[in-house]
Amino acid sequence: MTVYQPQTAPRPIVHTAAAPAQGVGVPAIPLPPEPQTIEQTGLTLGFLADLALKTLYLRGQMTMGEIASALGLAITGVTDRVMEFLKSERLVEIRGGAGISSASYQFVIVDRGSEKAQEALARSQYVGKAPVPLATYVSAVQRQTISNIHVTPEDLARAFAHMVIPRETLAQLGPAVNSGKSIFLFGPPGNGKTTIAEVLVSLLTGEVVLPYAVEVDQQVIKVFDQVYHRLVLEPAAAERIRYDHRWVISKRPIVMTGGELTRDA
């Protein structure tokens, strides 16, 4: 077994994390603040209007609160401005409400709004939480780098206690993990490379926040994948915490891919 650590390797994309302690309602990691204005979302009014219109078109009658939740945005200062714009453009109508709060207003899409929604869907079929700008996502990734995680020799010894592994290999693995860079494990088939990789990612503890989607030049790229991103909080619990709900709190994901390489490859 040989461990090779390239000097110019990019940040690894395979991580894992431990679950938060029992009874902890709010994760210890900093959470992105809730935007109070449309400008603070980093998106344009037109973009958010199209997204709200597509949501209403596909789901039918919705309250202001339901639309805000679907977009992951605050009602006051953001969703209410979006819906007021759509109403002023005669694309939606209010069909009553359960109380005096604007959150209970029932919105329905009208014929002209349906046409606009179909045009918006032709440009982009994405419907879901509002995305975050690409620059914001890149900044968040850089702040959450694993280079801040330090693994001690004792941590390594405990993690590999169930395996028979040469001390020289452990001595190589420790500095490689703490470098925060990519690690290349190579050797003959069946010598434990996959098992070692699984143990290593278990040492990279902590939680991360990532967006449901990012926006690039008015196009949306989905980031959140429920197969690989394991939620730290149930959606109902997360709703009770005030932060930017365009982001999700996840354990560090583990993405395992495989394929044997030949000498020619």
Side-chain angles (χ1 to χ4, degrees):
M1 168 68 64
T2 306
V3 181
Y4 174 64
Q5 180 198 340
Q7 294 301 309
T8 58
R11 298 292 183 194
I13 59 171
V14 181
H15 311 301
T16 187
Q22 292 295 325
V24 177
V26 181
I29 57 173
L31 300 177
E34 183 180 48
Q36 301 300 307
T37 65
I38 288 179
E39 292 72 24
Q40 289 179 4
T41 67
L43 305 170
T44 65
L45 175 59
F47 182 93
L48 291 174
D50 279 352
L51 186 56
L53 199 60
K54 289 188 290 184
T55 303
L56 197 59
Y57 175 75
L58 294 177
R59 292 182 52 177
Q61 183 169 301
M62 299 174 68
T63 66
M64 176 90 77
E66 290 171 339
I67 296 171
S69 179
L71 301 182
L73 299 171
I75 295 177
T76 305
V78 185
T79 306
D80 56 357
R81 282 187 56 193
V82 172
M83 299 313 296
E84 182 61 34
F85 170 76
L86 291 175
K87 189 161 71 71
S88 67
E89 293 294 309
R90 298 181 181 178
L91 302 176
V92 301
E93 291 181 350
I94 296 177
R95 295 280 176 86
I100 60 174
S101 171
S102 62
S104 67
Y105 290 173
Q106 296 279 347
F107 285 89
V108 294
I109 195 168
V110 298
D111 290 343
R112 185 164 176 267
S114 295
E115 295 174 2
K116 291 293 184 182
Q118 292 172 21
E119 293 174 5
L121 284 168
R123 292 191 297 271
S124 170
Q125 293 188 342
Y126 177 79
V127 178
K129 302 283 187 182
V132 304
L134 177 62
T136 304
Y137 173 52
V138 171
S139 177
V141 170
Q142 293 172 341
R143 288 195 304 271
Q144 299 178 94
T145 171
I146 63 169
S147 61
N148 298 324
I149 299 175
H150 180 69
V151 177
T152 67
E154 292 75 20
D155 294 332
L156 277 175
R158 281 193 298 269
F160 286 97
H162 65 293
M163 293 180 61
V164 177
I165 184 169
R167 289 186 178 180
E168 313 86 75
T169 302
L170 283 180
Q172 290 178 302
L173 289 172
V177 172
N178 286 328
S179 72
K181 296 182 179 180
S182 296
I183 301 171
F184 182 35
L185 303 175
F186 64 97
N191 70 341
K193 297 185 298 296
T194 300
T195 303
I196 288 176
E198 291 173 343
V199 174
L200 288 180
V201 294
S202 71
L203 292 168
L204 304 178
T205 58
E207 299 143 358
V208 294
V209 290
L210 61 139
Y212 283 93
V214 297
E215 179 268 335
V216 184
D217 295 332
Q218 299 293 303
Q219 296 300 313
V220 179
I221 302 171
K222 295 177 70 174
V223 175
F224 175 71
D225 188 325
Q226 60 183 3
V227 175
Y228 297 112
H229 297 125
R230 297 162 295 161
L231 297 179
V232 172
L233 299 174
E234 292 296 327
E239 285 290 335
R240 294 194 290 269
I241 302 175
R242 188 169 183 179
Y243 70 102
D244 190 345
H245 285 275
R246 295 179 296 168
W247 299 74
V248 63
I249 309 164
S250 170
K251 300 176 184 179
R252 288 189 182 271
I254 304 172
V255 181
M256 302 294 290
T257 62
E260 293 297 330
L261 298 178
T262 65
R263 186 180 297 276
D264 293 338

